[in-house]
Amino acid sequence: MKFVDLARIIVKAGRGGNGCLSFRREKFLPKGGPDGADGGRGGDVVLQAAGGLVTLADFEYNKKFQAGHAGHGKGSMQAGRNGDDITVLLPCGTLVRDEDTGKLIADLVEPGQRFVAAEGGRGGRGNAHFANSVRRAPRFAEKGDSGEEKTLLLELKLIADVGLVGFPNAGKSSLLAAISGAKPKIAGYPFTTLSPNLGVLAVDDQQIVVADVPGLIEGAHENKGLGLHFLRHVERTRVLIHVVDLAEGDALDKLEVVRREFEAYGTDILAHPYMLAGNKTDLPGTEENAAALRREAERTGRKCVLVSAKEGDGIKELIDEIVEMVRIHPRPSSTVSLVETPVKPQSLRGTAPLPVRVVRLVDGKGFRVEHANLEKAVGRIDFDHDDALVKFARLLKRLKVEEALEQSGVAEGDKVYIGEVEFDFQPDKITAGA
């Protein structure tokens, strides 16, 4: 399976159904009251973390996700059906960012965690909703809201219990194959591992996920070599094993390079618990490096195991040490991290409505009224209905839009835009129906 850890997707929620304009008409009740029902709510786009997924490769070709649209309301108080939600499965450890703002909006860590990435549009209200003791026969209904549409950037950071780190050709893939059931590609040249390999070490009643991440070179924090593709997947490992090639003359120097790259990366990778594993003891001339590695382990207070992934020497001891370190450093319990709490729009009703802002268009051919709630409310008005203009006028009067337009220098006959609605400013007529 191709490994992909970055992806860009478009999510679009379903549109809300329109409310119905209808009156009860029966043989012996020719002038019945309004019975137009509300439209349904559009479907949501939900992101969910799923165990067993280790790549974002599915999103290379499938990039757009559309939830179901809602049904329209009908007469006889038959409400429209709600739109169907759509669930997008992501690997555990996926960060979700809004492309427009660049903000991190969710971090899906544990299997089953869910996050509503795009909310479905609210259903429009039928004319029965607006009936009261004064207005007994409202001749208007609302249109449904459009669903949210967002472009999201996905970034995968693998979640593993143990990460094997070190320079290319240090034998990490061979070591992973020796201690787990993984079968990674193994060869004697740098960058054999171009993407993380995962293996599972089954010991007693627990399963330990071990990741062999791509090899590191000096300057990785500046994205040299496999750079950030390596470091990204080290962040979320609980325990690190520095695999050192004992057959290399500068084995300890490369260990120091790895530690410096962790420090330069700028996260808490350097603080991760770790141990040392000297590999390739089956090769001649490794005794001096092995002794130096042991001294380094004593100096830093770390465990050190000498192994030969090829011959199997020291593998059992390494497994025992891994199990012990994982036991000492248990997996933290976590929930979905929502960086930004959604802000609920303020109601149009109240003693202190939001201020209306009037902006002159760049071409000088009109003015735009900016007010989030007003634009949404106007978008719901169906101007094909008889009393829609009256409702529109009442809305403008309540928010004192005419006063704001006049204060901004809008003259009679100027074009005014509110959302998708366009009209000529007529001061004497804008509230005539109110």
Side-chain angles (χ1 to χ4, degrees):
M1 178 186 295
K2 182 178 180 181
F3 184 83
V4 178
D5 55 3
L6 295 172
R8 176 179 178 272
I9 63 173
I10 299 172
V11 294
K12 187 172 183 179
R15 172 180 42 77
N18 296 338
C20 178
L21 173 60
S22 173
F23 293 91
R24 188 179 176 189
R25 293 290 184 265
E26 297 178 13
K27 184 176 181 180
F28 299 104
L29 195 64
K31 294 184 179 181
D35 65 352
D38 300 345
R41 188 179 185 281
D44 297 333
V45 180
V46 180
L47 306 183
Q48 179 175 324
L53 298 180
V54 295
T55 176
L56 298 174
D58 291 342
F59 304 107
E60 280 202 296
Y61 304 103
N62 189 16
K63 296 177 179 289
K64 189 164 185 178
F65 299 89
Q66 168 77 63
H69 297 308
H72 302 313
K74 298 179 181 180
S76 302
M77 297 304 294
Q78 298 181 61
R81 63 171 182 80
N82 293 330
D84 295 328
D85 296 341
I86 183 173
T87 301
V88 182
L89 300 180
L90 301 174
C92 296
T94 301
L95 301 175
V96 183
R97 287 186 170 84
D98 188 312
E99 185 182 57
D100 293 336
T101 63
K103 290 184 178 180
L104 179 66
I105 57 176
D107 184 0
L108 300 170
V109 179
E110 301 289 346
Q113 289 177 344
R114 295 164 60 86
F115 170 69
V116 178
E119 292 189 353
R122 194 196 77 172
R125 293 174 291 185
N127 67 329
H129 184 94
F130 300 100
N132 53 42
S133 59
V134 177
R135 185 172 52 209
R136 298 187 178 185
R139 296 184 177 277
F140 61 87
E142 291 181 336
K143 295 190 293 185
D145 290 345
S146 298
E148 289 184 320
E149 181 173 2
K150 297 179 182 177
T151 300
L152 304 177
L153 302 178
L154 308 179
E155 177 184 356
L156 173 61
K157 294 183 179 180
L158 286 180
I159 300 175
D161 299 307
V162 179
L164 303 178
V165 298
F167 262 61
N169 206 29
K172 300 185 299 298
S173 297
S174 300
L175 202 57
L176 178 66
I179 64 177
S180 73
K183 296 180 180 179
K185 180 181 179 182
I186 299 171
Y189 53 88
F191 296 119
T192 296
T193 304
L194 298 178
S195 62
N197 293 307
L198 292 179
V200 178
L201 175 60
V203 180
D204 298 330
D205 59 344
Q206 65 176 323
Q207 290 187 329
I208 300 172
V209 178
V210 183
D212 157 31
V213 291
L216 178 72
I217 64 172
E218 192 166 7
H221 71 281
E222 299 174 347
N223 210 20
K224 294 181 180 179
L226 297 177
L228 301 179
H229 290 281
F230 166 86
L231 293 167
R232 179 184 300 120
H233 299 297
V234 178
E235 286 189 59
R236 289 184 167 175
T237 53
R238 295 156 59 191
V239 174
L240 297 177
I241 299 178
H242 285 274
V243 181
V244 178
D245 184 355
L246 298 178
E248 292 284 340
D250 54 352
L252 290 186
D253 292 340
K254 289 184 175 179
L255 172 62
E256 183 60 28
V257 168
V258 172
R259 301 298 294 172
R260 286 200 303 267
E261 290 302 315
F262 286 173
E263 183 177 12
Y265 185 56
T267 63
D268 63 346
I269 300 178
L270 198 63
H272 283 31
Y274 71 93
M275 62 176 291
L276 306 177
N279 191 22
K280 303 184 182 180
T281 57
D282 55 298
L283 298 179
T286 59
E287 294 80 5
E288 184 176 343
N289 274 337
L293 190 65
R294 285 190 181 279
R295 290 194 295 271
E296 174 66 16
E298 291 176 2
R299 184 185 70 82
T300 57
R302 304 292 172 176
K303 297 283 187 178
C304 178
V305 179
L306 303 180
V307 301
S308 169
K310 181 179 179 181
E311 302 296 332
D313 299 336
I315 296 300
K316 184 180 183 307
E317 182 184 354
L318 177 62
I319 291 175
D320 292 341
E321 292 294 347
I322 290 174
V323 172
E324 179 64 16
M325 289 194 73
V326 170
R327 184 188 63 79
I328 296 173
H329 304 283
R331 181 182 294 135
S333 59
S334 56
T335 58
V336 62
S337 171
L338 299 182
V339 179
E340 187 175 5
T341 304
V343 179
K344 293 185 178 180
Q346 298 185 31
S347 172
L348 288 173
R349 299 184 181 278
T351 57
L354 297 173
V356 172
R357 182 167 176 256
V358 179
V359 178
R360 182 186 293 271
L361 300 181
V362 177
D363 58 10
K365 296 181 180 180
F367 297 81
R368 177 168 292 280
V369 178
E370 295 184 349
H371 185 288
N373 291 337
L374 172 61
E375 293 171 35
K376 183 172 287 189
V378 169
R380 293 173 181 152
I381 297 175
D382 189 341
F383 288 95
D384 292 334
H385 295 161
D386 295 342
D387 291 348
L389 288 175
V390 176
K391 178 177 174 62
F392 178 58
R394 285 181 176 143
L395 182 61
L396 299 184
K397 183 178 180 180
R398 187 163 71 242
L399 291 175
K400 300 181 179 180
V401 174
E402 181 176 338
E403 289 88 333
L405 290 172
E406 291 178 338
Q407 290 173 6
S408 300
V410 183
E412 183 175 352
D414 286 344
K415 291 288 184 183
V416 177
Y417 301 86
I418 304 177
E420 300 296 324
V421 176
E422 170 190 343
F423 62 93
D424 295 330
F425 183 52
Q426 299 291 338
D428 296 331
K429 298 179 181 179
I430 191 170
T431 57

